[in-house]
Amino acid sequence: MAIPSTSTSTTIEDLHPDVLTRTLRLLDGPTLAAACCATSHLRSLSSQSDLWLHLCLSTWPSLRHPRILPFLSISPRSFFADAFPFPDAFAAGEVQLPDQLISAVDIYHRGVHIFSRVIETDTSSPWFRGSPFLIDAMEQKAEAMLPGVSISPEELTLSWILIDPAVGRAVNVSSRRAVGMERNCYTGETMVRFASAAAAGERVIGAVVTCEEGTGHVRDVVLTAEDIDGACVSGEEALKFVRAMMEARRKGSGRLEEEEEAKQRYLEYLRRKRRRKESRARREGVLDMCCTAVGVAVFFAFLSLIAFR
């Protein structure tokens, strides 16, 4: 007589919640967000604030700062949704400007965290809004971030999160990976640029990391903003730019495709700037020729007047 077989199927939800929670803590942000869409049980576990707080702190160690941690603990999932993806197409307009910005800066070298800094900036003063936009993240120049190790500029990655504590919004204005490098042949320093450009290519905001050659020291880490002519924009114009980035829809999951798109957008900004410079040079050349022709004509007219008197 045949014995009837009983088959039982085991699913991931049959695991103990503590085991699942420990497993979810090992996931990155996009994967954890995808787990929320799998089943109702996983959604319940993946929505725990502790998971998202741990993810934020492991991704950006600078957020452990006492000025940021209370703000972050309110809604770490919303903060991650603001700071991790790239902002989609945005353009600066007439908006309410933030009175204060908190910068959370983290630098990695070959995936190893080497630098953290938190800077509080009062952006409400007329002096800040009327001056060229600049935030300096270095407390002392030429810091040795990895003692005894020479830093390769091309292997740096950077995160620069700007936080408006008044409205609870944040945005990562860095391209994560470098969009360009320039070497000063006189000093041997290398400037590594991490930038975000507007879709129209009229503005760009980003960090510049200056590395000393062969010493493993980083001399400068600054955040600046430029217009299409390469001139530094004022603090007020830069704040409009930052507000537009904060309010923009987020795109993608902050991975390689978005990093490459950010680089291509910055390269398009450089091409537009170069074409604008060449167009201005041609106009100035034509104007110079016209002025020269008028001057020559006036000179010969004056000589003719003297000769036939």
Side-chain angles (χ1 to χ4, degrees):
M1 180 176 178
I3 300 176
S5 61
T6 59
S7 61
T8 59
S9 60
T10 302
T11 67
I12 190 173
E13 295 188 357
D14 295 325
L15 296 174
H16 194 278
D18 290 345
V19 176
L20 282 176
T21 301
R22 285 179 176 272
T23 304
L24 292 173
R25 287 173 69 92
L26 302 177
L27 303 180
D28 60 10
T31 309
L32 184 59
C36 293
C37 304
T39 65
S40 59
H41 183 55
L42 282 178
R43 183 184 304 113
S44 175
L45 292 177
S46 302
S47 300
Q48 298 179 73
S49 293
D50 288 347
L51 282 176
W52 290 97
L53 180 60
H54 172 266
L55 180 61
C56 288
L57 296 179
S58 59
T59 305
W60 305 294
S62 60
L63 301 183
R64 298 180 183 274
H65 192 276
R67 181 66 177 87
I68 301 178
L69 195 55
F71 164 81
L72 174 65
S73 301
I74 296 174
S75 181
R77 184 176 180 180
S78 298
F79 184 92
F80 191 91
D82 271 348
F84 189 78
F86 285 80
D88 202 356
F90 56 90
E94 295 299 326
V95 293
Q96 182 178 359
L97 303 182
D99 291 331
Q100 184 185 39
L101 286 178
I102 302 177
S103 298
V105 187
D106 293 285
I107 300 179
Y108 292 81
H109 180 255
R110 297 174 182 171
V112 178
H113 183 258
I114 62 173
F115 177 87
S116 284
R117 191 77 78 235
V118 172
I119 310 104
E120 297 184 54
T121 307
D122 178 12
T123 61
S124 62
S125 66
W127 177 85
F128 179 88
R129 297 188 177 186
S131 302
F133 178 77
L134 176 70
I135 300 178
D136 193 342
M138 298 294 285
E139 294 179 351
Q140 61 184 29
K141 301 305 179 182
E143 294 188 18
M145 298 185 180
L146 286 177
V149 178
S150 179
I151 290 178
S152 302
E154 65 275 6
E155 295 183 286
L156 291 175
T157 55
L158 178 139
S159 167
W160 194 306
I161 301 175
L162 292 177
I163 305 168
D164 183 356
V167 299
R169 295 303 302 270
V171 66
N172 199 327
V173 297
S174 171
S175 54
R176 283 50 156 193
R177 297 185 182 276
V179 296
M181 289 191 296
E182 303 171 15
R183 186 177 184 277
N184 190 318
C185 59
Y186 296 104
T187 63
E189 296 175 341
T190 301
M191 293 184 295
V192 190
R193 297 186 180 275
F194 304 84
S196 295
E202 299 293 334
R203 295 280 192 277
V204 64
I205 185 171
V208 179
V209 179
T210 304
C211 302
E212 293 183 353
E213 185 179 25
T215 62
H217 293 177
V218 172
R219 192 176 66 82
D220 270 327
V221 182
V222 297
L223 185 70
T224 61
E226 298 178 355
D227 61 14
I228 191 62
D229 295 318
C232 293
V233 302
S234 66
E236 182 175 358
E237 292 300 318
L239 290 176
K240 293 179 182 179
F241 194 67
V242 170
R243 173 63 73 193
M245 294 181 71
M246 288 183 176
E247 300 296 335
R249 184 175 64 89
R250 298 302 188 260
K251 179 180 181 181
S253 56
R255 295 187 175 179
L256 293 177
E257 296 81 2
E258 286 75 32
E259 292 175 2
E260 182 61 27
E261 183 177 341
K263 182 175 182 179
Q264 293 304 319
R265 188 176 293 179
Y266 176 74
L267 294 178
E268 176 61 25
Y269 160 79
L270 292 181
R271 286 191 288 268
R272 289 172 60 89
K273 184 170 72 171
R274 183 173 60 252
R275 289 196 296 265
R276 186 180 178 92
K277 183 178 180 180
E278 293 171 350
S279 176
R280 185 187 302 110
R282 286 194 297 269
R283 291 197 303 268
E284 291 176 353
V286 171
L287 182 61
D288 289 343
M289 291 180 61
C290 292
C291 291
T292 302
V294 170
V296 170
V298 170
F299 176 73
F300 279 107
F302 179 72
L303 287 181
S304 300
L305 182 64
I306 295 177
F308 292 102
R309 285 189 62 180

